[in-house]
Amino acid sequence: MSDIEKFEAFKKQSIQSNEKKFGTEIKQLYDQDIVKQANQRWQEMTQEEYRKMQSLEQELFMSLKGLLNEPTVPSAKAEQVFHLHQAWLTNAWGTYNPQAHLGLVEMYVNDDRFTKYYDDRVSPGATLLLNKVIHYYIK
């Protein structure tokens, strides 16, 4: 199996796994056209786009960790965190919408699963700080 075939299988399996874990919740909370578009974007993502998304996420984690040491908003570090998260979303979604960005970071702090994701990878308090940063820079 080639790398491209493996990547295609990985994407298909990821969509199926997400549907199995969160399908009922997703159907209740989100417009089905948006879900369909998100799945299509994921299925059409290239390996390079995926690698870029992973790289941006790691850079975001490191920048957020640095910001936690001096949690000043606004600051150059805070602005960098904002732009990294914005770039990650743009890569993941294929487009950027400030209101959707705000909605997403609200979900991060209101859903323990998302809070745990960021706090576990960065440090406790990272999710709240990310929320604060996004709200500040999307006025």
Side-chain angles (χ1 to χ4, degrees):
M1 187 180 269
S2 72
D3 285 347
I4 292 173
E5 290 169 327
K6 288 177 187 175
F7 185 62
E8 292 303 315
F10 162 73
K11 292 186 298 185
K12 185 176 182 178
Q13 189 277 330
S14 294
I15 290 171
Q16 290 171 345
S17 176
N18 192 50
E19 177 64 30
K20 187 175 181 178
K21 282 183 185 177
F22 306 110
T24 302
E25 180 181 359
I26 289 169
K27 287 175 182 146
Q28 292 172 349
L29 296 175
Y30 305 104
D31 180 281
Q32 290 311 292
D33 287 337
I34 292 171
V35 173
K36 189 175 181 179
Q37 289 171 7
N39 286 340
Q40 183 176 351
R41 169 70 181 139
W42 178 251
Q43 196 61 46
E44 293 172 355
M45 186 176 288
T46 66
Q47 285 179 298
E48 182 57 35
E49 289 170 324
Y50 181 72
R51 280 192 283 272
K52 182 177 180 177
M53 195 169 78
Q54 288 181 308
S55 176
L56 283 167
E57 185 177 53
Q58 291 307 309
E59 194 175 346
L60 170 65
F61 293 158
M62 294 303 291
S63 293
L64 194 51
K65 187 175 286 250
L67 182 59
L68 273 169
N69 293 329
E70 285 181 47
T72 304
V73 179
S75 67
K77 287 180 181 181
E79 189 170 357
Q80 180 182 23
V81 165
F82 170 77
H83 287 297
L84 285 167
H85 197 255
Q86 182 183 44
W88 181 83
L89 284 179
T90 301
N91 192 36
W93 292 349
T95 186
Y96 179 74
N97 178 303
Q99 294 309 312
H101 195 174
L102 287 172
L104 185 66
V105 296
E106 281 304 303
M107 185 173 62
Y108 286 177
V109 297
N110 291 318
D111 187 318
D112 291 340
R113 296 169 295 187
F114 288 103
T115 302
K116 182 175 175 27
Y117 182 83
Y118 280 93
D119 285 4
D120 283 358
R121 283 157 183 80
V122 178
S123 189
T127 310
L128 286 172
L129 183 56
L130 178 60
N131 180 284
K132 181 179 178 180
V133 166
I134 303 308
H135 275 275
Y136 178 83
Y137 288 99
I138 300 176
K139 299 177 194 181

